[in-house]
Amino acid sequence: MTMPHDPDTKAKAARWREDFPTEWEQDAYVARREFAKFLVLGSALLAGANGIIAAVGRRFRKRAPRLPRLRIAGASVLPPGGSLLFRYPTEEDPCILIRTVGGELKAYSQMCTHLSCAVVYRAPAGEFHCPCHDGRFSAGEGRPIAGPPTRRLPKILIEQEGSDIYAIGKEP
């Protein structure tokens, strides 16, 4: 289908371009000031959204459940340099209670933070040893001192009441 030739078509197009002059090459151009304003406002919007998300997250954060108090053993059972295995807070969580050579009581999770192998206490060296990949942790703080582990052993909070030792909580 062909359109009838209208001699005024070119004249109408030219008149339209005169009424609405647009330089298409310049239409997509963004000035440096406009771009900087966009970046600043966009960054401020993202920072504000992050702040709102953090505030809402704090408000509705679930509290960690209170762990039970568990009697581990009598204090006289553990000589200096000795260790005792127990499970806390559940039966699936192996832990180790030690009395350092200096007489201080410490308790940690027995699972190595590298691949969850069981660590053993070496009293003369004052460290925990993981036999799987030769990882070692300090007995005083549970921090890794050698081998592949990079995170410390989770500490079990304990208290001594009379001659009894109780596990009362767990640090991450």
Side-chain angles (χ1 to χ4, degrees):
M1 179 175 170
T2 58
M3 299 284 283
H5 180 65
D6 185 7
D8 292 330
T9 305
K10 287 186 178 183
K12 288 179 185 175
R15 198 171 346 135
W16 175 86
R17 290 206 184 268
E18 288 175 11
D19 290 341
F20 300 99
T22 303
E23 295 180 28
W24 295 105
E25 295 82 22
Q26 294 294 322
D27 189 46
Y29 177 74
V30 177
R32 194 177 326 168
R33 180 175 289 160
E34 290 174 10
F35 182 66
K37 187 180 359 176
F38 170 76
L39 287 179
V40 169
L41 292 176
S43 298
L45 181 67
L46 288 174
N50 282 334
I52 291 170
I53 289 170
V56 169
R58 281 194 191 131
R59 182 161 165 68
F60 294 107
R61 181 177 13 181
K62 291 183 179 178
R63 304 239 185 255
R66 186 175 169 100
L67 297 177
R69 181 182 166 121
L70 175 73
R71 182 182 180 277
I72 300 171
S76 61
V77 172
L78 203 58
S83 65
L84 178 71
L85 301 178
F86 66 100
R87 300 206 174 254
Y88 184 79
T90 67
E91 285 298 314
E92 288 80 36
D93 299 311
C95 300
I96 186 167
L97 172 69
I98 65 167
R99 185 181 297 270
T100 63
V101 178
E104 192 176 1
L105 289 170
K106 302 271 185 181
Y108 297 97
S109 170
Q110 194 187 9
M111 294 190 328
C112 176
T113 56
H114 176 236
L115 289 176
S116 299
C117 296
V119 296
V120 293
Y121 179 54
R122 291 184 171 169
E127 66 186 23
F128 293 102
H129 178 252
C130 176
C132 293
H133 297 103
D134 201 30
R136 291 183 290 145
F137 300 87
S138 73
E141 300 173 352
R143 296 196 186 284
I145 53 177
T150 58
R151 294 173 288 138
R152 68 178 188 84
L153 292 172
K155 186 176 184 179
I156 306 299
L157 303 175
I158 57 172
E159 69 179 20
Q160 186 173 352
E161 192 174 290
S163 64
D164 293 331
I165 302 168
Y166 292 92
I168 57 170
K170 187 175 184 178
E171 286 183 1

